C-alpha cells in the first residue's frame, strides 16, 4: 500500500481576498480623524416631585465610530434629532464627550489640555447651519473674516490682515470691495460664503460643515456645495459634511455615516454604500432620493417609515430602530446589534451581514 503525502496549499477565500485588497488600498491613505466609541450623554433634570429622584440620561450620541482620511469628505446623514450635530460638535469640542476617543492625527482631542486644544482649533474649523445667525451683525464682513487671524496671529500688521482677508474673499467668490459692509446686506448664499471664508482664513486641515446648505434655496445649495468641492480640491481640505438630504451627501462624500437615534447604523465608502445599502433605515432614506430619469422616478417605490423618531431619553430596547423597522423580529427587542463589516462597508443589524 502506498501512502501519498498530499500537501494542500490553502487558497484564500474570495471574502479574505477582498478584505486584503481593501486593507492595502486603505493603507495608502493618510488617516486624519479616527473616532472610537464616541458617546455624548446629557443629564436631564427629573420632572418628578421627589427631590431624590435621579436625572434622566439623554443619549444624543451613543458609541459612534467613524474615520476620515486626508483630502476626503465624510458625509453624516440622518433625520432631525438623530444626533448628527451633537456628533460634529463633540469632534471640535463644543460639547464634551462623555466617553470615547476623537483621535486627530494620532492625538486624542477629548483628553487634551485647553492650551493644546486651542492650538488644534487652527487645524479644525466649523461652518454653521444658519449663515446669517452665525455672523456677528455688528461687525463688518472684513472684521468677521479677520477675527480668527487676529486672535491666533496678533503680530500681523493691519495691512497684512486686510490683504489676506481680501484674497480669501476673492477665493470664495465675494467681491473684495464689499469688505466694509454688514451681514444683513447679503443674501443667505453670500453669508454662507462669508462663513466659509472665515473658516478658511487660518488654513485649516479640516472643516466641519454642520448642515451648511439646509437653510438655502436649492439653486444656491448647489453653488455652495460646488464651492466647497472646488476649495477642497485646491487646498487639500478634509470635510465632515452633515446633512439630512441624502442626495447632497451623495454628491459630495467619499465616506458616509448613517445615524439613527445617536447610533451609527451604516458606515462605509460612498460608492459601496450607495451601490448596495444594507440597513433598512438607509434603504428607506435612499428610496426617497429623487432619480433624474422621469420613467424610473415614476416607477420607484418609496419605503415609508412608520411613526416618529423615539425619544433619546427613553430609546427602545435592543435595536434602536426596531419600532420602525419593516423586518424586525422578536430578537431585535432583546439584543442590541453591533456594527460589523470592514472599513469599506459596515452595518449594524442582526439580520444583515
Ligand atoms: S436589528 Fe432588527 S430591528 Fe434593527 S435594523 Fe436589523 S432587523 Fe431591523
Amino acid at each position: 500500500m502506498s501512502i501519498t503525502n498530499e500537501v494542500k496549499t490553502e487558497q484564500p477565500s474570495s471574502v479574505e481576498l477582498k478584505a486584503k485588497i481593501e486593507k492595502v488600498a486603505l493603507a495608502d491613505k493618510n488617516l486624519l480623524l479616527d473616532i472610537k466609541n464616541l458617546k455624548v450623554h446629557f443629564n436631564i433634570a427629573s420632572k418628578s416631585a421627589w427631590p431624590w429622584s435621579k436625572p434622566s440620561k439623554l443619549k444624543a450620541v451613543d458609541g459612534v465610530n467613524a474615520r476620515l482620511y486626508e483630502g476626503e469628505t465624510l458625509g453624516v446623514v440622518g433625520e432631525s434629532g438623530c444626533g448628527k450635530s451633537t456628533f460634529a460638535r463633540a469632534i471640535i469640542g463644543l460639547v464634551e464627550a462623555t466617553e470615547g476617543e476623537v483621535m486627530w492625527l494620532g492625538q486624542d482631542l477629548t483628553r487634551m489640555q485647553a492650551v493644546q486644544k486651542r492650538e488644534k482649533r487652527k487645524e479644525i474649523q466649523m461652518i454653521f447651519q444658519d449663515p446669517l445667525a452665525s455672523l456677528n451683525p455688528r461687525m463688518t464682513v472684513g472684521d468677521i473674516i479677520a477675527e480668527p487671524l487676529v486672535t491666533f496671529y496678533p503680530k500681523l500688521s493691519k495691512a497684512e490682515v486686510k490683504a489676506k482677508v481680501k484674497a480669501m474673499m476673492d477665493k470664495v467668490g465675494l467681491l473684495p470691495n464689499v469688505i466694509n459692509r454688514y451681514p444683513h446686506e447679503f443674501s443667505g448664499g453670500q453669508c454662507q460664503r462669508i462663513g466659509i471664508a472665515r473658516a478658511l482664513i487660518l488654513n485649516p486641515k479640516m472643516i466641519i460643515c454642520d448642515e451648511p446648505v439646509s437653510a438655502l434655496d436649492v439653486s444656491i445649495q448647489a453653488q455652495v456645495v460646488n464651492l466647497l468641492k472646488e476649495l477642497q480640491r485646491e487646498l487639500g481640505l478634509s470635510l465632515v459634511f452633515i446633512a439630512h438630504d441624502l442626495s447632497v451627501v451623495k454628491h459630495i462624500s467619499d465616506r458616509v455615516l448613517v445615524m439613527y437615534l445617536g447610533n451609527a447604523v451604516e458606515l462605509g465608502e460612498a460608492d459601496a454604500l450607495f451601490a448596495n445599502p444594507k440597513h433598512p433605515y438607509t434603504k428607506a432614506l435612499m428610496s426617497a432620493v429623487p432619480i433624474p430619469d422621469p420613467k424610473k422616478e415614476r416607477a420607484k417605490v418609496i419605503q415609508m417609515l412608520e411613526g416618529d423618531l423615539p425619544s433619546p431619553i427613553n430609546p427602545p430596547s435592543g435595536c434602536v430602530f426596531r419600532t420602525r423597522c419593516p423586518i424586525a423580529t422578536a430578537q431585535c427587542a432583546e439584543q442590541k446589534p453591533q456594527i460589523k463589516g470592514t472599513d469599506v462597508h459596515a452595518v449594524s443589524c442582526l439580520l444583515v451581514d
Side-chain angles (χ1 to χ4, degrees):
M1 201 171 88
S2 75
I3 300 168
T4 328
N5 281 333
E6 272 188 24
V7 181
K8 274 195 179 172
T9 326
E10 277 202 11
Q11 295 295 323
S13 69
S14 61
V15 176
E16 284 170 340
L17 214 58
K18 204 175 147 209
K20 258 188 184 174
I21 294 168
E22 285 170 359
K23 222 175 168 183
V24 172
L26 289 168
D28 287 344
K29 298 183 188 177
N30 193 7
L31 183 61
L32 212 59
L33 184 69
D34 191 6
I35 297 163
K36 299 174 185 171
N37 192 31
L38 184 65
K39 291 185 184 177
V40 183
H41 295 176
F42 298 106
N43 285 331
I44 305 289
S46 169
K47 285 186 183 157
S48 159
W50 308 112
W52 56 81
S53 57
K54 281 187 180 170
S56 314
K57 277 246 178 305
L58 187 152
K59 297 179 178 178
V61 179
D62 198 25
V64 173
N65 299 305
R67 284 179 164 187
L68 177 63
Y69 295 89
E70 199 168 22
E72 292 195 340
T73 300
L74 170 70
V76 184
V77 72
E79 61 201 306
S80 297
C82 71
K84 308 181 293 287
S85 292
T86 311
F87 170 74
R89 281 157 198 259
I91 296 173
I92 202 169
L94 289 179
V95 293
E96 207 175 317
T98 313
E99 216 179 298
E101 294 174 356
V102 178
M103 301 301 293
W104 170 254
L105 291 167
Q107 287 182 295
D108 188 356
L109 292 177
T110 63
R111 286 179 179 76
M112 272 182 194
Q113 302 293 325
V115 183
Q116 274 179 300
K117 260 188 194 167
R118 190 177 179 273
E119 274 307 297
K120 294 292 165 196
R121 287 297 300 272
K122 281 187 214 163
E123 297 174 1
I124 309 171
Q125 290 289 307
M126 192 154 182
I127 301 170
F128 296 92
Q129 181 176 4
D130 187 339
L132 190 57
S134 64
L135 306 176
N136 187 336
R138 291 193 189 88
M139 287 169 81
T140 64
V141 170
D143 288 342
I144 289 170
I145 299 172
E147 197 182 27
L149 208 55
V150 175
T151 308
F152 282 97
Y153 301 99
K155 286 185 182 158
L156 282 176
S157 70
K158 277 188 176 175
E160 282 171 317
V161 170
K162 196 169 181 181
K164 281 180 187 285
V165 168
K166 281 192 166 182
M168 189 50 73
M169 289 175 74
D170 187 43
K171 206 178 263 304
V172 300
L174 288 168
L175 289 173
N177 61 6
V178 298
I179 193 164
N180 291 321
R181 298 227 185 132
Y182 289 87
H184 71 267
E185 297 176 64
F186 294 88
S187 67
Q190 283 173 320
C191 283
Q192 201 52 290
R193 284 175 195 266
I194 299 168
I196 294 171
R198 183 187 155 93
L200 283 176
I201 198 84
L202 290 175
N203 200 15
K205 287 190 168 76
M206 179 175 83
I207 296 187
I208 297 177
C209 313
D210 185 8
E211 305 220 27
V213 294
S214 305
L216 305 176
D217 294 341
V218 180
S219 58
I220 309 295
Q221 282 186 8
Q223 284 177 17
V224 172
V225 169
N226 288 338
L227 172 67
L228 283 169
K229 279 185 89 172
E230 259 171 48
L231 292 168
Q232 180 177 38
R233 255 195 310 273
E234 192 184 327
L235 307 171
L237 275 174
S238 299
L239 302 175
V240 175
F241 191 94
I242 293 163
H244 55 254
D245 184 342
L246 208 60
S247 48
V248 176
V249 168
K250 188 179 180 183
H251 184 63
I252 197 169
S253 306
D254 299 286
R255 303 181 64 73
V256 176
L257 164 66
V258 184
M259 286 185 71
Y260 182 83
L261 211 64
N263 290 255
V265 296
E266 194 160 357
L267 172 68
E269 290 186 352
D271 291 345
L273 193 139
F274 284 106
N276 179 25
K278 294 182 176 180
H279 196 278
Y281 180 58
T282 316
K283 285 184 180 173
L285 288 183
M286 283 185 61
S287 74
V289 174
I291 304 172
D293 181 340
K295 241 185 182 178
K296 286 186 185 164
E297 177 64 22
R298 270 197 297 274
K300 188 179 77 178
V301 180
I302 296 181
Q303 295 176 25
M304 297 294 285
L305 287 176
E306 302 282 329
D308 294 324
L309 195 71
S311 164
I313 298 177
N314 189 19
S317 63
C319 174
V320 286
F321 186 57
R322 74 174 167 84
T323 51
R324 301 169 80 192
C325 180
I327 57 167
T329 64
Q331 189 196 3
C332 304
E334 282 154 23
Q335 197 181 336
K336 183 165 179 160
Q338 300 300 319
I339 197 136
K340 52 185 189 282
T342 65
D343 206 25
V344 174
H345 198 173
V347 64
S348 168
C349 174
L350 296 173
L351 307 188
V352 182
D353 281 325

